[in-house]
Amino acid sequence: MTRAIWFLIKLAIVVAIAIYLVENPGAVTIDWQGYVINTSFAMLLLVTVVLIGIAALAYRLWRGIRGAPGAFGRRSRARKRERGYRALTRGMVAVAAGDAAGARRYAREADAMLRDPPLTMLLSAQAAQLNGDEKAAERYFQTMLERPETAFLGVRGLLTQAIRDGNQTEALQLARRAKSLQPQTPWVLTTLFDLETRAAQWGRAEQTLLDGMKSGAFPAEAGRHHRAALLLERSYEAELEGHHDDALRHAQAAAKLEPAFPPAASRLARLLARTGKHRKAGKVIEKAWSTRPHPELADAYRDISPDSDPLAQVKRFERLQSMVPNDPEGHVALARAAMAAKLWGEARNHLSKALAERPTDRVYRMLAELAEAEHGDIAAARDWLAKAANAEPDPIWVCKECGTLSKSWRSICAQCGAFDSMEWKLPSVAVRIAEPHRLPPARPPEPPAQPATTTTVVQQPEETPAASPTQETQRGTTAQQPQPAAG
Ligand SMILES: [Zn+2]
C-alpha cells in the first residue's frame, strides 16, 4: 500500500515536470567548432538522460562478462562439497549396516569430492575393515595417528586391531598413548586396566584404577574390591622378590579396604603369624569370620596357630564357632578340628548340626571319613559317599564372566583372564573347574605357617587339588563352553 502511494507520488512529479517543460520549452543554441545546434531545453534534457542510461547498461554488461568464470567455479565447488558430504553420510550408514561394497564406493566418492583427508579417513578405514582389508585399514589408522586432530581415532583403530590379534605388548603401548591423549575417557581407562592386569603389571594397574575411580570409569564399590585384589597380587609379588615388609604392607592395605574379603584376611593373618604376631593374626581372622564365615578363613585359622596340640586347636575352633553359632561353616570347621583330635563324638555332633543347616556334599564326605576313622566301618562310609554324590554342592569361587569354578580364589580367571571376577556362591550352572596347570604363575603357593603335623590326620577331599575334573563338573546341570573375553 505504501509502495503504491509512493509510486503514484513519483509518477505525479514526473508528469508535472514533463507538463512544465512542454509548456516552457525554452531554447538552447550550441555553437562548437563551426557546428550549430538549435533545440529546446526539454529535448536536450531527454537526450542527456538517454545517454546516461546507455552508459550504465554498457558498464553492467562489461562487469558481468568479466566475473563469469569465478561465479561458475564457486557454484561448481559448492555442488562438489554437497555431493561429498552426501557420500560421507551414506558411507557411514553403509558401515553401520555392514554394507562393505557400498561403504567402499561412498568412501572413494567422499574422498574425491571433499579432498579433506581428516574427514574421510575414518570412513575409508572402516570401509577397508568391512572389506576384510586389515592392512589397508591399518595404513589409514597410521596416517590418522600423524595428524593431531585425528590421532585419537587412529590410536583407537590400531588398539582394537591389536586386541583382536592378541598382540598384548602393542595393545598396551597403544592404550597408554590413548590415555595420554584422552586421560578421562572411561573405555580408555578400563581397557588399559584390563591390559595391565593381564600383563601382571600390578603397580601400574593400581594407578590406572585410581585414575578411573576419580573419573567415574569404575564404580566406587567395584573399584575398592579391585584395589584390594591388586594389593594382594602386589603382596605376593613383593614376597617373590624377597621384600617381606612390602608384602605385609600391601596385605594390610588390602585387608583394610576389604576386611571381610576372605583371601585378604587369610593372607594378612598368615603373614602376621610368620613374623610371630599370632595374636594379631587370630584377631584378623576372627573379625572377618564374624562378618562372613568362610572355609579359607578356617584353614588360615588352623595354620596360624602357635600351638600344634590338636586339643588346643579344638578349643580355638570352639571359640571361633561360637562367634556365628548357627553357620554351617563354623560346625564344619569345628568338626574337622575335633576329628584331628580324635574327639569323634564332638565331630559327629557338629557334623549333624551342619547337616541340619545345609546337607551338602562336603558334610556327607566328612561323615564318611568319620565312620571309617572311628570304627573302620567301610560299609557306612560307602553309604555316606553315595549320599554325597547326590547332595547339593557347597559354595565355590565362580567366575562371573565365564562361569569357571575354582577351589581357591585367584585375581585372574584361569579360563577367560578376567580380573577380580570370582564370586563365592553356589555353582548353579557349573562350567569348568580351573585346572591347576592352567593357573597364572604370578601367585606363589602359600607355605604353611606351621609344620603340617596337626593337619595330616585330617583328610580334606574337597581341598585336594588332584580331585578329578569329571567328578567336579558332574555337579553342574548344564555344561557350556566358555568364550574367551573379546577384550
Ligand atoms: Zn572367567
Side-chain angles (χ1 to χ4, degrees), residues 399-404 413-418 421-422:
C399 171
K400 61 185 169 197
E401 297 296 330
C402 69
T404 293
C413 172
Q415 187 63 34
C416 72
S421 60
M422 296 274 175

Side-chain angles (χ1 to χ4, degrees), residues 139-152:
R139 270 202 309 278
Y140 283 118
F141 289 136
Q142 288 285 4
T143 318
M144 287 160 89
L145 215 57
E146 288 155 17
R147 294 163 184 265
E149 68 269 34
T150 53
F152 187 68

